[in-house]
Amino acid sequence: MRSDQIKQGFERAPHRSLFYASGLTPEELNRPIIGIANAYNEIVPGHVHLDKIAEAVKAGVRLAGGTPLEFNVIGVCDGIAMGHVGMHYSLPSRELVADSVESMALGHAFDGLVFIPNCDKIVPGMLMAAGRLNLPAIFVSGGPMLAGRYAGENIDLKTMFEAVGRHQAGRMTEDKLHDLEFAACPGCGSCAGLFTANTMNCLTEALGMGLPGNGTIPAVTGARLRLAKLAGMQSLRLVAEGICPRDIMTPSAFENAIATDMAIGGSTNTVLHLPAIAHDTGVDLPLDLFDAISDRTPYLVKLSPAGPHHMQDLDEGGGIPAVLGELLSQGLIDGEARTVTGQSVAENVGEARRRTDVIRTSDDPYSPNGGIAILRGNLAPDGAVIKAGAVAAEMLHHKGPARVFDGEESALAAILNDEIRPGDVVVIRFEGPRGGPGMREMLMPTSVLAGMGLDHSVALMTDGRFSGATRGAALGHVSPEAASGGPIALVEEGDRIEIDIHNRRLTLHVGNAELARRQARWVPPEPRIQTGYLRRYAAHVTSASEGAILK
């Protein structure tokens, strides 16, 4: 066992004495030691119950003959961080999660790991660590929140952000806004729609790193606790058989995850996270692969924000096994890919049940192409990302004048002050990984536009990114970013911008000679934040088109 290096032999007597100081017995020390990486805290609603999940995991480890030792990992709540300086820290926290798990796992010679994440950056950060460490590992998330209920309808966090726009436009009373606050998020779990957290938990399952049900079983159920116990038990089998993440997270597994992402219309943030996870796993995952897989993958599931269903509906409808089963029946995924169950994807899927009102068949999809699209053109030579499945039909092709803002705050103020008109293309720049720094999510501007009824007539594009809760013609990850001198830095007020989602094109209708003149006089801005972690992050982060990894 790997842990023998800290517990076997006379020279390790000092090490053993430290374990005994923590209350361990010699019998416990002689068993495989499983590190429990738990993102529990009292701030994030998706994490407030992870102490209960961890207890179930530890019970499973003990049932299977191992010794669980828990340590904690940070987690930023994107919803609470939204719209202020806190959002600068969201994406950068992914690297802190990965680095801290690496430090704890290698510092203490664990034989295996059970990861307990739930929310946006914690899931990919832990997957990055798993790929980097390549120790036997399994994931069990905290599970999704149930949808809230108001006036006989299901609602969620997206409802609240859009309610701000409705209230601003005089379409909602303050009393109703107040009532919605108490109803939208009824309890613990990752927010109820197919936003980034739930997308990544589903893709963890599709990658083969989580047990069936990891992405969809609601947080508040006994089934979630049973899943956690099974994950703890399975960690000992992975250790015994020497099955490691790089045996599972192969190129085929990543292609399976991308196909699943396209079929369920997941968050655009996956286009940042999957390449970063692949990088730490030793797999090349170019941006063009997302579009190639999208072209051949039908869009089968429409959850909030794109449709009326929520995570509990997807779980009841058969969950990710049913999605994988449909894709497998069409030859769109590799059924032989290995998983943490010890079986292949095809064996896990078996005869998965399916509600066809939630998970459509391949011959009756919402679209023959996936829910995410990569656009390129003279405005985004290295690509831009859009959640095409959440765009109104009339906005799939849009051409309008640019309204240019150097930062989210000024754009949001213009929207709230009724300065944006139907037909406009709102450009928010200097919000990329380096320029932000931290590549902030733009849920507030997009939600306010939707709440004001402008999401069917106004497009928004940024070198920053969007929440998985975003809907509408919202283009993110425009690369190269403005801070690196990308073409988005050269856009001027009133320039005509054309968005053509069908043909995957993003065009700035300005002549090459004029763009060259603008480029010649462009001066890079001073970094916005010049101290602390964000200064170091900005100095080393790569483009969004590379997954915003650190080099």
Side-chain angles (χ1 to χ4, degrees), residues 201-237:
N201 284 323
C202 288
L203 298 194
T204 299
E205 197 175 324
L207 271 171
M209 290 300 295
L211 297 174
N214 178 73
T216 60
I217 295 174
V220 295
T221 61
R224 175 58 60 175
L225 294 176
R226 290 194 296 274
L227 188 75
K229 290 178 183 177
L230 291 172
M233 296 170 69
Q234 189 64 14
S235 69
L236 272 296
R237 179 181 174 185

Side-chain angles (χ1 to χ4, degrees), residues 151-235:
E153 295 183 357
N154 286 338
I155 59 173
D156 55 35
L157 183 65
K158 169 188 70 69
T159 309
M160 289 312 307
F161 278 98
E162 293 185 5
V164 173
R166 289 192 176 93
H167 178 61
Q168 173 67 19
R171 301 168 63 191
M172 179 180 290
T173 66
E174 190 165 347
D175 286 343
K176 183 174 180 180
L177 181 66
H178 179 265
D179 290 344
L180 284 171
E181 288 179 37
F182 286 92
C185 300
C188 65
S190 44
C191 296
L194 192 63
F195 312 148
T196 304
N198 288 325
T199 303
M200 288 307 304
N201 284 323
C202 288
L203 298 194
T204 299
E205 197 175 324
L207 271 171
M209 290 300 295
L211 297 174
N214 178 73
T216 60
I217 295 174
V220 295
T221 61
R224 175 58 60 175
L225 294 176
R226 290 194 296 274
L227 188 75
K229 290 178 183 177
L230 291 172
M233 296 170 69
Q234 189 64 14
S235 69

Side-chain angles (χ1 to χ4, degrees), residues 55-120:
E55 288 304 316
V57 167
K58 288 187 281 188
V61 170
R62 294 187 184 104
L63 281 168
T67 296
L69 295 177
E70 180 183 351
F71 62 93
N72 289 105
V73 178
I74 68 162
V76 173
C77 177
D78 279 21
I80 296 172
M82 196 74 64
H84 61 95
V85 68
M87 184 46 70
H88 287 290
Y89 286 89
S90 173
L91 182 60
S93 74
R94 184 186 72 180
E95 315 306 317
L96 296 176
V97 169
D99 289 349
S100 64
V101 171
E102 176 189 349
S103 301
M104 291 296 290
L106 295 183
H108 301 100
F110 294 123
D111 294 304
L113 294 164
V114 180
F115 290 90
I116 309 176
N118 212 26
C119 290
D120 296 45

